């Protein structure tokens, strides 16, 4: 199964956009890219997912490179409540029953 | 509130003991997943059940077992506990999105401390 690489941590100022990068150079053509986040003392929560095209929802945007070897999660206007660990995940193959393969994530620190 | 309920929230037990963690999935979700998260680590997938049947296994130790009951709630049994089993244990249930993807809804977790 393909793996992802993310920075261990990032800092951003409140009310500014945040771009969280993710590398997945061994992604296969059918792997979807999922993002989850885990707030302190909480279970993870779904943020967004995509395959090839950029995706937008109420929480964030997902920009996927044309070669699909990288992607960026965009929080348009970060708030203190967005401080969390953000996980970039590839959906596993059919052999693994489409499991989500979790990495270590990026700890996002928001400065007031 | 994700709709997934895990009990208990905290559990402290001694080495060598056995514990049972319980999970009630969201109404209508047939899949239940169990994950282990050690301190400051990512999530390790343990096992998945779908409508009462085991669907996939991850890095689950032989001392651990799980089952999903007809009412779809699930239990994770951990036996012969060791200090290294201290961790957060999360349960998730899922709904199917487009392309066969699943959005997983996670419970608040059970924090297990083995002393």
């Amino acid at each position: 199964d393909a793996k992802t690489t993310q920075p261990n941590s990032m800092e951003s100022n409140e009310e500014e956009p945040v771009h969280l990068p993710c590398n997945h150079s061994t992604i296969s053509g059918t792997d979807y890219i999922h993002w989850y986040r885990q707030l302190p003392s909480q279970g993870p929560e779904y943020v967004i997912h995509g395959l090839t095209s950029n995706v937008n929802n109420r929480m964030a945007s997902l920009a996927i490179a044309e070669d699909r070897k990288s992607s960026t999660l965009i929080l348009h206007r970060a708030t203190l409540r967005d401080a969390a660990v953000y996980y970039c995940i590839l959906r596993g193959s059919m052999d693994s029953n489409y499991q989500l393969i979790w990495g270590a994530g990026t700890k996002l620190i928001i400065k007031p | 509130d994700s709709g997934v309920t895990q009990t208990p929230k905290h559990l402290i037990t001694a080495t060598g003991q056995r514990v049972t963690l319980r999970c009630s999935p969201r109404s209508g979700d047939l899949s239940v997943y169990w994950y282990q998260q050690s301190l400051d680590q990512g999530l390790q997938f343990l096992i998945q059940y779908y409508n009462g049947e085991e669907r996939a296994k991850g890095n689950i130790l032989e001392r651990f077992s799980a089952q999903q009951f007809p009412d779809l709630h699930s239990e994770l049994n951990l036996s012969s506990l060791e200090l290294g089993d201290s961790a957060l244990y999360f349960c998730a249930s899922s709904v199917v999105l487009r392309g066969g993807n699943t959005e997983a809804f996670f419970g608040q977790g059970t924090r297990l401390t083995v002393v």
Side-chain angles (χ1 to χ4, degrees), chain A residues 32 34 36 38 44 91 97 99, chain B residues 37 48 55 99 101 104 106:
Chain A
Y32 276 77
H34 290 242
Y36 280 74
Q38 186 173 17
R91 188 190 69 171
N97 198 41
Q99 290 305 315
Chain B
Q37 186 175 38
Q48 179 201 0
R55 179 63 67 90
N101 284 276
F106 284 79

Side-chain angles (χ1 to χ4, degrees), chain B:
Chain B
D1 182 6
S2 67
V4 177
T5 304
Q6 288 188 248
T7 56
K9 287 187 170 50
H10 301 277
L11 199 49
I12 301 175
T13 190
T15 55
Q17 295 299 304
R18 171 189 170 95
V19 297
T20 297
L21 312 184
R22 182 187 169 99
C23 171
S24 294
R26 291 189 336 144
S27 177
D29 286 355
L30 300 179
S31 277
V32 170
Y33 307 78
W34 285 97
Y35 290 86
Q36 179 192 57
Q37 186 175 38
S38 300
L39 189 62
D40 294 332
Q41 300 290 315
L43 275 72
Q44 293 292 322
F45 168 67
L46 295 178
I47 198 164
Q48 179 201 0
Y49 278 83
Y50 179 83
N51 203 21
E53 294 189 2
E54 182 183 304
R55 179 63 67 90
K57 254 184 177 178
N59 299 321
I60 187 167
L61 300 173
E62 286 191 8
R63 299 184 286 110
F64 297 179
S65 65
Q67 54 185 327
Q68 186 178 28
F69 295 86
D71 66 353
L72 300 179
H73 91 271
S74 178
E75 293 181 355
L76 179 67
N77 300 296
L78 315 176
S79 62
S80 303
L81 285 167
E82 303 175 358
L83 295 177
D85 297 327
S86 296
L88 269 169
Y89 291 84
F90 286 105
C91 167
S93 69
S94 68
V95 63
V96 178
L97 303 172
R98 68 181 186 278
N101 284 276
T102 58
E103 176 181 350
F105 293 85
F106 284 79
Q108 294 291 303
T110 293
R111 181 174 295 281
L112 173 66
T113 303
V114 182
V115 297

Side-chain angles (χ1 to χ4, degrees), chain A residues 7-12 18-21 84 106-110:
Chain A
N8 290 333
S9 65
M10 290 183 62
E11 287 189 0
S12 182
V18 179
H19 291 237
L20 295 164
T106 295
K107 183 175 183 178
L108 177 62
I109 299 166
I110 304 296

Side-chain angles (χ1 to χ4, degrees), chain A residues 57-74:
Chain A
N57 67 20
R58 64 176 179 80
M59 289 181 69
S61 296
L62 177 60
I64 301 172
E66 195 169 337
D67 64 5
R68 301 207 330 120
K69 294 183 184 301
S70 65
S71 61
T72 302
L73 180 71
I74 302 165

Side-chain angles (χ1 to χ4, degrees), chain A residues 44-61:
Chain A
E45 64 175 347
Y46 169 82
V47 177
I48 201 168
H49 81 282
L51 182 62
T52 56
S53 304
N54 294 344
V55 185
N56 300 295
N57 67 20
R58 64 176 179 80
M59 289 181 69
S61 296

